[in-house]
Amino acid sequence: MDPAENLTIRQPDDWHLHLRDGDVLSAVLPYTSAHFARAIIMPNLVPPVRTSADAEAYRSRIEEQIPGHHDFTPLMTLYLTESTDIEDLKAGAESGLVKAVKLYPAGATTNSDSGVRDIDKVMPVLEAMAAIDLPLLCHGEVTDPSVDIFDREAVFIERVLEPLRKRLPELRIVLEHVTTRDGVDYVQSASSKQAATITTHHLMIDRNHIFKGGIRPDYFCLPIAKRSDHKTALRKAATSGNPKFFLGTDSAPHPSRDKYTSCGCAGVFNAANTLSCLAQLFEEEDALGHLEAFTSLNGPAFYGVPYNENRIRLRKTEVPVTYPAEIQVGEDVIKTFDPETDLFWEVVKDDTN
Ligand code: DOR
Ligand code: ZN
């Protein structure tokens, strides 16, 4: 087969993933663990994963649900609150359990009510994190209702991120799910302590998708998708090979009944087709040679963990690949991200493993 139709890469990691708990956890986890070796697990459960004991218990619940033939390691995070216990956090990090801490500005998104209202109140925690080199993962949006929802990321950079960088330049910070040219430019020009994750869906949709022919709750996520020129900037960053940008799918399952309602939840479940989407868009950008950097090299380098030794193979197909359009969880369904285009790349098990 033509090598251009076949691509073997180190096994990817997902540096931003929502797995939830209980029945949803067991339904969605196999889609990630089938292809990914590791994932940074978001802590926005109800109640949140606030302490090392919470993280350890959650990790056990995840591990119990990993299919026996999958080799997958969940990397745990703590949810930063104004009462985070520094000693507990340090113990969790030193034991290797806690890999990062997530900052949700209170009220910014799903299950963020226990998040941070006043950054000054968490400065001692952030200083302790800088001292032990534990990364801070930012949901980078201000919550000020007077700021337009499409501007909340750019304003976060100006009001929160840059002042924080100045106060604590040694703290490693990831601007999670970056959605704007402003965010890309900021991270690109910042020090090597700063990086950004980019989601699959933000590389494929812009804000028009949310309103095409009516309102489309399946494309509603936070940060909200922006204009198409921002999407172009994200695609350029992701496909550039620049080590500051790596994959964080932000796969965030919600039952459709919680999305198709007068106040629908934010989140896109993309774990079931992420790698097909990515291979296709990297091919469109003539950048398949940089796919491995985005999915498998840049993240481990930033987090200071080894690359995965296993490989996966992506193969170009003649007929569109199939994936479940929705998954059933009890009485509920969770819709898979619809890229509104056929996908022609499939993941096949690599025989060199
Ligand atoms: O769209 C989103 N969904 N953005 C977030 O920040 C949270 C996530 C979720 O947990 O559903
Ligand atoms: Zn998220």
Side-chain angles (χ1 to χ4, degrees), residues 31 218-219 254 256 260 268-273 321-328 332-339 343:
Y31 291 99
D218 289 321
Y219 293 119
H254 288 280
S256 291
Y260 305 168
V268 171
F269 171 65
N270 62 28
N273 60 6
V321 296
T322 55
Y323 51 83
E326 58 185 42
I327 58 172
Q328 192 79 34
D332 287 320
V333 293
I334 294 168
K335 289 273 179 77
T336 299
F337 171 56
D338 177 2
L343 300 172

Side-chain angles (χ1 to χ4, degrees), residues 16 18 42 102 104 139 177 222 250 252:
H16 184 129
H18 298 267
M42 286 296 127
K102 180 74 189 277
Y104 285 104
H139 182 105
H177 39 53
L222 289 169
D250 201 12

Side-chain angles (χ1 to χ4, degrees), residues 110-125:
T110 310
N111 303 338
S112 63
D113 294 347
S114 321
V116 175
R117 286 183 165 73
D118 178 357
I119 195 102
D120 287 339
K121 296 220 173 99
V122 296
M123 279 315 288
V125 182

